Amino acid sequence: MAALEEAVAGLVRRVEVLEAEAEIRRVQARYMFLCDTPCPEFGIDGDDERIDLIMELYTEDAVWEGVGEYYDGQFGRAEGTAAIRAHFQRFWGEKKDPELLLNAHYLTSEQIHVDGDEATGQWIHMQPWLFSDGKALLRSSRLNNAFRRVGDTWRITRTRTENVFIAPLPEGWASDYPSASVLMKP
């Protein structure tokens, strides 16, 4: 009987890890989805609402930081939800010329490590950017993020990003792209 109980307990632990990995994957993908331009979440009326949805993914004590020789000066470090919110408000709230028309986040090389109610995840991310003046670039970053289970929900406790490269793309690189997303429209 003890062997059966031990086997069941082992299976329960493995299922809990698999469920945690799946939820962390969904949280990270949701974050990237909400950061895309145009925002594909149907019914978002503006960037303040987008930021509210992003902030729901973070714990109160979370940290968002750019590290390394390129991102240290560009992004810096934001500690706590008020500072992280301000970071996103600077990005979307201060309209720039040229305007960002399109960016999309692609995640790859995933590694998720669960340890009870804490976890870390590493990804490489690619992101094409297209601006209103016709210029375009491709960014790649490494992500080293941390997560914590809060009740039944996994939340981000740390977003840490480091530049891999930034490459200019030729003019006209993307010829057809939407000004708004309708994918998620009911």
Side-chain angles (χ1 to χ4, degrees), residues 5-166:
E5 289 174 358
E6 188 176 310
V8 169
L11 289 172
V12 167
R13 282 191 301 275
R14 290 173 62 191
V15 168
E16 287 172 345
V17 167
L18 290 171
E19 288 177 344
E21 289 173 350
E23 183 63 21
I24 289 164
R25 189 174 296 114
R26 281 189 289 273
V27 168
Q28 185 63 43
R30 175 109 176 107
Y31 170 82
M32 293 300 193
F33 181 82
L34 289 168
C35 289
D36 285 351
T37 301
C39 184
E41 181 86 358
F42 185 75
I44 301 283
D45 289 327
D47 291 329
D48 286 339
E49 190 174 349
R50 171 204 306 244
I51 293 168
D52 288 343
L53 292 170
I54 290 170
M55 296 311 302
E56 290 176 5
L57 302 174
Y58 282 90
T59 61
E60 289 294 321
D61 62 341
V63 173
W64 196 108
E65 63 184 329
V67 299
E69 60 189 84
Y70 187 78
Y71 281 175
D72 269 346
Q74 184 177 9
F75 295 125
R77 180 180 171 96
E79 295 183 43
T81 53
I84 295 170
R85 180 180 293 279
H87 163 76
F88 288 119
Q89 287 171 330
R90 281 189 300 278
F91 183 82
W92 285 300
E94 299 172 6
K95 296 304 176 193
K96 299 179 176 62
D97 188 22
E99 180 183 358
L100 178 61
L101 300 177
L102 173 100
N103 74 343
H105 296 76
Y106 301 90
L107 291 174
T108 185
S109 302
E110 175 183 273
Q111 300 178 63
I112 297 174
H113 314 280
V114 178
D115 185 12
D117 288 341
E118 304 279 331
T120 58
Q122 293 80 38
W123 292 266
I124 294 176
H125 124 268
M126 300 287 286
Q127 180 184 13
W129 294 58
L130 181 62
F131 297 92
S132 60
D133 65 357
K135 290 193 170 108
L137 56 92
L138 181 63
R139 287 181 168 234
S140 179
S141 305
R142 290 188 194 280
L143 303 173
N144 182 9
N145 297 348
F147 305 84
R148 179 184 317 127
R149 187 187 335 252
V150 178
D152 292 335
T153 305
W154 284 89
R155 299 206 188 270
I156 302 167
T157 60
R158 181 190 69 223
T159 297
R160 181 178 292 151
T161 181
E162 179 180 43
N163 181 54
V164 174
F165 70 82
I166 296 175

